[in-house]
Amino acid sequence: MDMPNMRARLIVVFVVTVVLSGFLTVAGTSPATAATPSDSLWFDGTPLTVHDGRFVDGQGREVVLRGYNVSGETKLAENGGLPFASVADARRSAAALRALGGGNAVRFLLSWAEAEPVRGQVDTAYLAAATEQLRAFLDAGIRVYPDFHQDLYSRHLFHTGSWYTGDGAPEWAVDAGSYPKESCGICFFWGQNITQNAAVTKAQYDFWHNTYGLQDAFLATAQSTMAYLAQHLTDSEFAGVVGFDPYNEPYAGTYESGQTSRTWERDLLWPFYQRFRARMDAAGWQAKPALVEPNLFWNANIASQKQEGGLLDAGTLGTRYVLNTHFYDQKAISGILMWGKANDGQYATDFAAIRDRAAAAGTAAVVSEYGHPLSGTVSDKAPTVLKAMYQALDSRLPGASWWSNPAASGPVLSGSQWQWDLYNGRHHELMNDNPGKVLTSGDAWNDEDLSAVRLDDSGAATLRQDARLLDRIYPAATSGATAAFTYEDRSRDGSTTLTWNPVPSTLPNVSRLVGAGQYGLLVWRSGSGTAPTELHLPASFPIAATTVVSDLGTAYAPPPYTASTPVGVAPEPGGTGSRRLLLTDADSGTLHYALVTNGATAPSADLLGAARSELTAWAAARF
């Protein structure tokens, strides 16, 4: 993770022993049996591409990526800049991420310092280990996009007694510069080093100006890394690699006289991305997009930090690039600027800006980091802050206005929460290589604690946040184009159930059917393909308690999916016991809807029919 001023994060312990017996599978099959769906329900053999501002698979379906960052362990030295201590841990993590966290994608962190410890010499042993760990996620049916991660430029800028540390650039890159002794002065949050620590700002400036050939060296290592992945993954595995995030949270360091954040993006950041794009092509990644981040202060929600940006002068990004940004509520993290909890629609405007900027740039968007501290003085805000963030990913509307104006819902955004890490609370990190300063708690990195998962005392993976919040219904693949989507997770803030999008009283039978349960509602316009629409089914939606009301049909305890079944359930790939709802239409350009809820108990045919009539009339009037 990383973020400007005012934020904290966490690395959670999570060496996962996944207990799959608690997850129902289709038609009584075991997880092992359910792990081998037909090829038509697996990756389709082609990479995702960008088309009409959406991620699209080889069958023409609109794809939404949801998951986590794996993981902040890469920022530490204890496991040599790898996300995991072993491939076995990577496999445990991937299985739990699928089964407990409901994810279908991860942002996979890599370290420049470990990839090129000696200038001009790529460490193939590191690349081999990273590739095997990355493969563990692909084997679990999880798509991956790697990220060369950095925070505060490099740990090697920081002295052994420092209060803070960094990650990213190798030691030789720091030795090349004549940087002042680092000091943040009076800083309350590690992110203040980004603008206040002269060593950090000077090193950042040097990178963007290619001083000492730093940028050239980075790009050469990036190309070698991508070429290694392309050569050592099978074709089907490589198809699961979405693209590459070139540089985490870019910032100028210091602006030159007369330079603005916008002109810095135009003159230095965007040319860097173009150079990175050329390296992708040379490494065999021509069909995959670069997931490019604007100036990290572009979408800040504190007016004094917000800067003009968003790659405004890059023209139409099109199919070769994806707008990739982060979002943290720095007001909430500060503990001062937001006193209460987050509410319905809290981040609708912030996330609308992401949708609008991506649309103007002619490309898809991904929010590759978001989260909130899970310990400390502001952790009480986490349940509402994260619910509001997920709400904003699902729709640009508050719950209060969703049912009356669903056509304004906007595209469903892809995103990866910070973070999912096996080792939270059980680290042994020598901060800045200081044997007298061994960090074990939280992330073991600058007092952050944001991981969604930890290992309990029995060694089993345990969520640190409400499962109802994290394991969500979302449209993983839509046959055609999404017209509107909402999900009421009814997650909890302590003992309080948060309901921000109740079914309106104008739909009494739908309201009766949903009751106090969770529900998701997808509206889409069919395309010309034959592959089904797929919705992830959370663990809180066991088949025997799931009800579907759609213009395609109704079902209580929907049956196993077949090509002739308009509404059916199938396992998700990877053998974790997780499931998906599959909806099949046989037309093109037609508006369809599907309500999915776990609130009903053996609903009558009359109630299902009445709810369907209400939803049909509602959809006809609203779209």
Side-chain angles (χ1 to χ4, degrees):
M1 161 185 191
D2 359 298
M3 197 64 210
N5 312 333
M6 307 181 196
R7 104 170 182 265
R9 252 198 284 212
L10 145 71
I11 294 178
V12 165
V13 179
F14 181 34
V15 175
V16 218
T17 302
V18 183
V19 180
L20 297 174
S21 58
F23 291 87
L24 294 175
T25 54
V26 177
T29 58
S30 68
T33 302
T36 55
S38 66
D39 288 344
S40 65
L41 298 181
W42 177 229
F43 289 145
D44 61 5
T46 62
L48 293 185
T49 56
V50 178
H51 182 69
D52 289 339
R54 304 171 294 151
F55 287 113
V56 176
D57 68 13
Q59 300 178 79
R61 297 181 299 179
E62 178 181 338
V63 170
V64 171
L65 304 172
R66 288 289 177 87
Y68 304 84
N69 281 261
V70 176
S71 77
E73 174 68 17
T74 301
K75 298 160 69 165
L76 307 181
E78 61 183 358
N79 283 322
L82 291 166
F84 303 98
S86 66
V87 174
D89 281 359
R91 293 193 178 280
R92 293 187 189 102
S93 180
L97 187 145
R98 194 63 139 148
L100 299 179
N104 69 351
V106 294
R107 181 173 180 243
F108 191 93
L109 275 59
L110 297 171
S111 167
W112 177 22
E114 299 298 334
E116 190 187 9
V118 177
R119 184 163 193 161
Q121 298 180 26
V122 174
D123 187 343
T124 55
Y126 174 77
L127 297 186
T131 300
E132 289 306 307
Q133 293 187 8
L134 185 149
R135 179 180 280 115
F137 289 84
L138 297 172
D139 288 348
I142 296 169
R143 294 190 185 267
V144 175
Y145 56 106
D147 153 51
F148 262 125
H149 209 76
Q150 74 80 36
D151 296 284
L152 309 184
Y153 190 69
S154 175
R155 72 184 281 124
H156 300 291
L157 283 172
F158 294 81
H159 56 84
T160 57
S162 178
W163 290 4
Y164 301 105
T165 190
D167 70 287
E171 186 172 9
W172 62 258
V174 172
D175 290 344
S178 298
Y179 302 121
K181 183 176 180 180
E182 67 83 16
S183 174
C184 193
I186 301 176
C187 288
F188 299 100
F189 303 94
W190 72 261
Q192 291 175 268
N193 284 273
I194 296 170
T195 56
Q196 293 179 216
N197 190 322
V200 174
T201 59
K202 180 64 166 64
Q204 289 173 324
Y205 178 94
D206 283 348
F207 180 84
W208 295 114
H209 288 81
N210 199 23
T211 311
Y212 317 115
L214 292 170
Q215 197 174 114
D216 292 338
F218 174 84
L219 290 168
T221 299
Q223 180 177 336
S224 296
T225 300
M226 289 185 283
Y228 190 96
L229 287 168
Q231 293 162 8
H232 290 82
L233 295 172
T234 67
D235 289 347
S236 61
E237 289 169 341
F238 194 49
V241 178
V242 177
F244 209 106
D245 182 345
Y247 197 90
N248 180 71
E249 294 185 351
Y251 179 62
T254 56
Y255 294 118
E256 296 179 276
S257 177
Q259 189 178 53
T260 66
S261 56
R262 178 169 178 171
T263 60
W264 174 78
E265 281 194 349
R266 182 194 67 197
D267 298 338
L268 291 169
L269 182 60
W270 179 241
F272 165 75
Y273 286 147
Q274 291 176 306
R275 297 182 72 198
F276 194 96
R277 174 72 262 179
R279 298 289 185 150
M280 292 179 70
D281 294 347
W285 291 54
Q286 300 93 328
K288 300 180 185 297
L291 287 75
V292 294
E293 301 186 30
N295 168 13
L296 85 160
F297 293 110
W298 163 64
N299 201 32
N301 71 336
I302 296 180
S304 61
Q305 289 185 347
K306 197 166 186 177
Q307 298 181 2
E308 187 177 26
L311 303 174
L312 291 171
D313 299 297
T316 300
L317 298 183
T319 62
R320 304 264 288 164
Y321 301 89
V322 166
L323 181 71
N324 170 15
T325 189
H326 299 172
F327 183 80
Y328 294 91
D329 186 347
Q330 297 177 66
K331 294 178 181 178
I333 291 172
S334 74
I336 299 172
L337 301 176
M338 185 182 108
W339 288 103
K341 306 288 185 75
N343 295 301
D344 176 27
Q346 183 91 12
Y347 306 120
T349 299
D350 299 297
F351 282 61
I354 298 169
R355 288 178 170 88
D356 292 344
R357 181 66 202 114
T363 191
V366 59
V367 186
S368 62
E369 286 191 27
Y370 53 93
H372 189 82
L374 300 181
S375 63
T377 58
V378 299
S379 60
D380 65 310
K381 301 179 189 294
T384 57
V385 166
L386 266 294
K387 180 180 174 74
M389 288 180 178
Y390 275 109
Q391 180 192 54
L393 286 170
D394 289 344
S395 169
R396 66 188 296 151
L397 297 174
S401 59
W402 192 91
W403 282 93
S404 61
N405 188 26
S409 187
V412 182
L413 289 174
S414 294
S416 50
Q417 182 175 331
W418 187 276
Q419 69 165 325
W420 188 275
D421 198 316
L422 288 182
Y423 309 111
N424 170 261
R426 302 188 186 191
H427 291 284
H428 189 83
E429 174 71 3
L430 278 61
M431 186 175 184
N432 298 316
D433 302 316
N434 185 344
K437 199 170 186 179
V438 179
L439 304 184
T440 59
S441 63
D443 290 3
W445 197 86
N446 288 350
D447 297 322
E448 290 197 323
D449 183 6
L450 281 83
S451 178
V453 66
R454 68 176 180 87
L455 208 64
D456 67 19
D457 291 340
S458 71
T462 303
L463 294 177
R464 300 180 67 223
Q465 296 171 274
D466 188 352
R468 292 185 171 216
L469 171 72
L470 299 179
D471 189 11
R472 312 173 61 80
I473 289 178
Y474 58 90
T478 301
S479 183
T482 300
F485 176 70
T486 190
Y487 181 54
E488 177 48 75
D489 56 44
R490 298 199 200 268
S491 56
R492 288 151 290 205
D493 179 9
S495 60
T496 302
T497 298
L498 302 171
T499 302
W500 291 353
N501 192 1
V503 178
S505 59
T506 52
L507 302 171
N509 290 295
V510 176
S511 180
R512 179 183 165 197
L513 186 72
V514 169
Q518 299 165 283
Y519 78 88
L521 178 55
L522 174 68
V523 183
W524 76 100
R525 198 166 295 278
S526 59
S528 56
T530 59
T533 290
E534 300 184 15
L535 290 162
H536 170 69
L537 280 180
S540 59
F541 280 71
I543 296 168
T546 296
T547 300
V548 181
V549 177
S550 171
D551 65 295
L552 300 172
T554 62
Y556 174 67
Y561 171 79
T562 68
S564 59
T565 305
V567 178
V569 174
E572 287 180 316
T576 61
S578 55
R579 293 153 291 103
R580 52 190 164 167
L581 178 71
L582 298 168
L583 305 161
T584 304
D585 58 64
D587 47 45
S588 179
T590 301
L591 192 74
H592 298 285
Y593 65 83
L595 173 81
V596 188
T597 183
N598 59 6
T601 301
S604 67
D606 287 346
L607 178 57
L608 292 175
R612 184 180 183 183
S613 295
E614 287 179 352
L615 287 170
T616 297
W618 168 82
R622 296 296 189 277
F623 294 92

